[in-house]
Amino acid sequence: MNRLRQIYAISKVSYLENLRKQVLQVVLILTIAVIGSTTLLTFFDLGVQIKILKDLSMAAILLCGGVLAVVLSVGSIPSEISSHTAYPTLARAMHRSDWVLGKYLGTVATCMVCMAALAVVFVGIIAGYTHSVDTAVLTGMAFVSLEVALLAAVGTFFSLFTSPMVAGTLTLAVFAMGQIKTGFLHAAIERANGAASKVLLQVFYYALPNLDTFNFKDALVHGLPVPPAYMLMVAVYGLLYTAVLVGVSGLVFARRDI
Amino acid sequence: MKARAWLPGFFCWLLSCAGSAAAHEHHHPHHHWESVQLRGELWVQIWGLAAVLVGLAVWRMLERKRLQGES
């Protein structure tokens, strides 16, 4: 119980710290502008306009969450170490892995609050056109949130080894590769000549998170049915991947000499 | 000033991601939830991740026992 209270306190401070960052406000305003701009597409039929609105808004929310997850997660721990503000907290009787978990949860909470605000704008615009609330949007948003949480875990993990700039670049690379993994890497494995390069690419392929599986935008836009068992499988996959990354980050930080 | 410096970068990133997504869409017009191969790969990854998680828990438990023994 005491440990939970400590984790909650760390995450709350981290969340409040993140809210004050300028990048958060800029990205949020830009994304709201992108979502709001879809209301200007009045020269399309209403059905087409709603499809474009859903497509563009989901992509914008994912990008906003992705950018925030990368920027906030890679700077969260190194800034505390370099400014020595982490030392008084770590000197107390608390596990270092709990501190990492608290910082991670604070970052994720910030991203979730921003994405929830964007979702309200998005759902509000759709409701303004259709006079009903589309529940599929909520499902789509849940998976985008899971993807953003995973990305924040990747950023936290990299931030323990390198500088924030390098960690940010690596996390962005994982984000981009995770999106095009099935299309790009699978073809590369098939084209590989040597057995060693094939095995190496396969290891890389399975180690990278498959972020495209969290994308249910097509189902949302075109109203396609997705098997619930598949959605459950993707949710378990996302949670497991995040848990492993946060667990490894905790272990790495616990063994680090600071 | 800092916030303004982020804007061009953000838009470049937006464009590059859109380009990647469009390229991916072009190569794989089918929806991912319909792919049997992808489902198999996901299962492999889920079992692998579960094994890593269990391994981490066991390692942590052994480490704690070792530290208790030392003290």
Side-chain angles (χ1 to χ4, degrees):
Chain A
M1 199 62 194
N2 191 34
R3 280 181 73 179
L4 281 179
R5 209 175 298 140
Q6 284 177 331
I7 293 170
Y8 172 72
I10 297 291
S11 57
K12 194 179 168 187
V13 171
S14 174
Y15 166 74
L16 292 173
E17 232 171 68
N18 288 335
L19 280 187
R20 292 170 59 195
K21 288 186 177 158
Q22 211 176 16
V23 62
L24 185 134
Q25 293 143 21
V26 172
V27 172
L28 204 59
I29 290 167
L30 267 174
T31 316
I32 289 174
V34 170
I35 295 172
S37 68
T38 52
T39 55
L40 303 173
L41 305 170
T42 46
F43 44 86
F44 288 113
D45 290 340
L46 187 62
V48 176
Q49 195 183 350
I50 290 172
K51 277 184 182 176
I52 294 173
L53 166 69
K54 285 180 180 175
D55 203 0
L56 198 71
S57 301
M58 288 298 281
I61 293 172
L62 173 62
L63 282 175
C64 170
V67 169
L68 288 181
V70 173
V71 173
L72 300 178
S73 65
V74 298
S76 180
I77 294 175
S79 66
E80 291 259 2
I81 303 290
S82 61
S83 63
H84 305 287
T85 46
Y87 297 150
T89 321
L90 292 172
R92 286 168 180 263
M94 82 173 294
H95 293 274
R96 282 195 188 181
S97 51
D98 291 352
W99 189 76
V100 172
L101 180 62
K103 296 296 286 179
Y104 166 74
L105 289 177
T107 304
V108 171
T110 318
C111 296
M112 294 302 140
V113 166
C114 290
M115 285 166 68
L118 293 172
V120 168
V121 175
F122 173 37
V123 171
I125 293 174
I126 293 179
Y129 283 118
T130 60
H131 305 291
S132 63
V133 176
D134 193 351
T135 49
V137 172
L138 301 175
T139 315
M141 282 301 300
F143 281 94
V144 169
S145 307
L146 202 57
E147 184 175 348
V148 168
L150 201 161
L151 205 63
V154 173
T156 307
F157 174 72
F158 283 136
S159 74
L160 296 174
F161 298 99
T162 55
S163 66
M165 192 58 89
V166 178
T169 311
L170 286 173
T171 315
L172 276 180
V174 168
F175 188 32
M177 288 302 287
Q179 298 287 345
I180 56 168
K181 177 179 146 167
T182 24
F184 178 71
L185 268 181
H186 210 271
I189 292 170
E190 280 169 5
R191 278 201 307 267
N193 290 324
S197 58
K198 211 166 199 159
V199 169
L200 202 72
L201 276 172
Q202 259 169 349
V203 169
F204 189 54
Y205 182 81
Y206 280 103
L208 261 179
N210 195 342
L211 300 177
D212 193 38
T213 52
F214 299 100
N215 181 6
F216 291 104
K217 204 170 63 187
D218 285 355
L220 175 66
V221 173
H222 303 289
L224 303 170
V226 182
Y230 179 78
M231 287 167 103
L232 184 70
M233 195 168 130
V234 172
V236 169
Y237 170 66
L239 290 173
L240 270 176
Y241 212 113
T242 309
V244 165
L245 281 174
V246 176
V248 172
S249 303
L251 271 179
V252 168
F253 192 67
R255 300 172 80 84
R256 198 168 128 179
D257 191 22
I258 53 168
Chain B
M1 189 63 201
K2 262 187 184 175
R4 269 185 224 157
W6 271 98
L7 293 179
F10 179 73
F11 278 113
C12 286
W13 189 60
L14 198 86
L15 280 174
S16 70
C17 280
S20 300
H24 185 218
E25 197 75 9
H26 178 72
H27 287 293
H28 292 267
H30 299 295
H31 307 298
H32 59 83
W33 56 88
E34 289 168 355
S35 167
V36 179
Q37 185 200 347
L38 185 70
R39 211 173 277 211
E41 285 172 5
L42 269 183
W43 269 122
V44 172
Q45 280 187 304
I46 285 173
W47 283 111
L49 287 166
V52 172
L53 207 61
V54 171
L56 277 175
V58 171
W59 187 27
R60 207 171 160 176
M61 196 178 70
L62 291 174
E63 186 96 337
R64 202 168 292 169
K65 273 191 179 172
R66 189 180 62 83
L67 287 171
Q68 276 174 352
E70 276 179 9
S71 63

